[in-house]
Every structure is written in structure tokens, then in C-alpha cells.
Amino acid sequence: MAAVVACDDRHSQRLGVTTIELLPVHGLVDDRMLVERAFELLGLHTLSFFAPEPRYSQDNPLDAFRTTVARLHDAGIE
């Protein structure tokens, strides 16, 4: 998630970007059958819809997500 915040927000502003969509950011489960067959479902096997996926953060996933959203809002991005 930190990679999203690390991007140059001036570039986004020049492009007129005001909104981004993060998909998926919620907890998910890897279905063994699908993983073995190399299907990529982009997190459609939801485990905890309102909990951030721990694999997307080095430390506390909830704090990382909150920080990411706050920085995006500070940059004028919804």
C-alpha cells in the first residue's frame, strides 16, 4: 500500500486524477485448486471483507491502510 502513496502526486494532479480505486484490499483466501491451476481471481475469494489483507503490508495492515488512505486524501485524491 505504501507504493501507492510513494508516487508523485504532482503528476497525478497534472493528469487531473481525483479518485483511485483499490481492488482488492480486503482479506482473502487462496483456494488451493485455483492456485494449482494458476487462476488469478484478484482476491475474489473473500475471507474478511472489512479487514485489510496482511500480505499487502510489512507491519500492521490496518494502520498501513489507514495511513495510505489519509495520505491519498491529503493529496486531494478520494
Side-chain angles (χ1 to χ4, degrees), residues 13-68:
Q13 289 173 346
R14 283 194 302 269
L15 292 174
V17 174
T18 59
T19 306
I20 64 168
E21 185 173 355
L22 304 173
L23 291 175
V25 297
H26 56 270
L28 54 105
V29 64
D30 293 324
D31 185 308
R32 188 175 81 185
M33 179 194 72
L34 296 176
V35 170
E36 289 172 355
R37 294 181 181 184
F39 284 104
E40 190 65 44
L41 293 178
L42 302 173
L44 296 178
H45 282 70
T46 301
L47 181 62
S48 296
F49 190 75
F50 294 106
E53 172 57 45
R55 291 179 275 188
Y56 299 153
S57 174
Q58 294 177 351
D59 298 319
N60 182 329
L62 185 55
D63 286 343
F65 186 73
R66 286 179 179 157
T67 301
T68 299

Side-chain angles (χ1 to χ4, degrees), residues 1-7 56 64 68 71:
M1 287 183 245
V4 174
V5 179
C7 69
Y56 299 153
T68 299
R71 288 182 181 172

